[in-house]
Amino acid sequence: MAAGNAVRFAGSGTAWGTICADGWSLLEGNVVCRQLGLGYANDAIQTDYFGGSNRSEILLSGTECYGNETSLGDCLHHEVGWHSSCSERGTHVAAVTCVDVMADLAFDHVEMEQSLHLEDRLMYLLQCAMEENCVASQAYEIQRDNPNWHLETRRLMKFTARVLNTGTADFRPHIPKHLWEWHLCHMHYHSMEVFATFDIFNGQGVKVAEGHKASFCLEDNQCLPGTEPKYACANYGDQGISVNCADIYRHNIDCQWVDISELDFGLYTLRVAINPEFKVPEMSYDNNAAICSLLYTETYARAYDCKITRP
């Protein structure tokens, strides 16, 4: 399995067969590696490398794991042996590579709670951020329709996002370095399109505001004693988060906010999620998000009663 074998599943009557690759992800891969005692999923693959041209070999399809199951049989799946919904790419089967060490990111909700505050800023001072889609859509309508748009203000809810790697291996972006994007506003390359999301929901669970921060660079901003930082955004350096180091997007950095200009005063839910698309492998995703109560008044905003969960 560590070399990347096709995943085989034992069904009723000890019949063995491959697993349909449709919807196969790191969540399912982690369950397989855990079940076999081979550590953590480093890559979840949909491949025809192992053959499998005979569709009758496919024993399991529709597999959907939460990620913390102890075996693949505990995950949601179609009836064993039923695979009519499997892709017509009949030779594509699920595979996984397992490793002994893995990154594990943890979001610091206390830092967020303590640093969260409001700031009203002239749109004239937000031009760079607007080029990177860091404000709400209404701001662009104002820019289009109002000749004096630059004198209008936006209300920003700002906070620091501190993410610590508590795992046993470095966290590295999934995008190859030659595909990183240069961002003129921030004067460095961004290695992840979606590293964190910031969303606000009303009492009915409807999203009413979101952070439009689109791209991120990853670096060692703060390390525990005895650990030397090795990742940096400047000068096209290697990006990542070392074990026992934290990447910190401070509240005074451009785009580290949620534009709440159109939000009514009241009580909401704030959700901050790290690696929300599960694109980069981790030991577990159960500590990647914080869900908090958010009180927004005319003069202040406060996040409290945060609970650590998965994205």
Side-chain angles (χ1 to χ4, degrees), residues 105-121:
L105 300 185
F107 178 68
D108 187 346
H109 67 283
V110 175
E111 181 71 36
M112 179 190 69
E113 291 177 28
Q114 295 177 345
S115 61
L116 189 143
H117 65 281
L118 301 178
E119 179 182 320
D120 293 328
R121 186 180 293 189

Side-chain angles (χ1 to χ4, degrees), residues 250-261:
R250 301 191 186 279
H251 60 79
N252 58 353
I253 295 177
D254 229 15
C255 297
Q256 185 56 43
W257 61 60
V258 179
D259 183 348
I260 60 171
S261 304

